[in-house]
Amino acid sequence: QVQLVESGGGLVQPGGSLRLSCAASGSIWRIYTMAWYRQAPGKQRDLVARIGSGGSTDYADSVKGRFTISRDNAKNTVYLQMNSLKPEDTAVYYCNVRGWSPRGEYDYWGQGTQVTVSS
């Protein structure tokens, strides 16, 4: 089992910044990718940003140049720095971790953290 604890969500005005964190613990063994997804009311869950074990990243077009994903392998933690936030960034943000343990490959989700961008 892998546990994911997210933090950093909240209410922010348009143009503001937030930093999300997601710490993994438990039977981690080897983490391949760490990612952030988001889901707005009535919409599907979409990828926001993803980072591989070697540090390669990819982003949704809608957040390129505004969001930065990073990871601290020593702490098994992934971060999402969100700048120049817009109302359309409002959603529940979910952390996702994929990796391997002696029991096989795994794919876990965090509980979600609400981000609201509003004046």
Side-chain angles (χ1 to χ4, degrees):
Q1 283 278 6
V2 175
Q3 295 78 42
L4 301 178
V5 178
E6 301 169 355
S7 60
L11 172 64
V12 64
Q13 292 186 342
S17 297
L18 282 175
R19 189 191 194 208
L20 306 182
S21 300
C22 173
S25 62
S27 300
I28 297 172
W29 286 84
R30 180 178 296 173
I31 295 177
Y32 296 146
T33 62
M34 306 183 85
W36 289 95
Y37 288 73
R38 67 186 180 187
Q39 186 168 21
K43 295 189 176 182
Q44 67 180 18
R45 188 176 298 186
D46 291 325
L47 176 69
V48 176
R50 176 170 49 213
I51 185 166
S53 57
S56 61
T57 59
D58 61 283
Y59 296 89
D61 288 342
S62 59
V63 307
K64 284 180 180 178
R66 300 189 297 122
F67 291 10
T68 302
I69 190 170
S70 60
R71 63 191 279 178
D72 185 333
N73 291 328
K75 297 181 179 179
N76 297 315
T77 299
V78 61
Y79 305 95
L80 186 68
Q81 178 66 43
M82 304 185 294
N83 298 328
S84 302
L85 282 160
K86 304 175 181 180
E88 51 263 44
D89 295 317
T90 295
V92 178
Y93 284 69
Y94 296 92
C95 172
N96 174 260
V97 172
R98 298 179 181 182
W100 177 92
S101 77
R103 293 186 176 184
E105 295 187 339
Y106 58 77
D107 184 344
Y108 285 96
W109 293 88
Q111 79 282 2
T113 185
Q114 177 69 47
V115 171
T116 302
V117 184
S118 175
S119 55

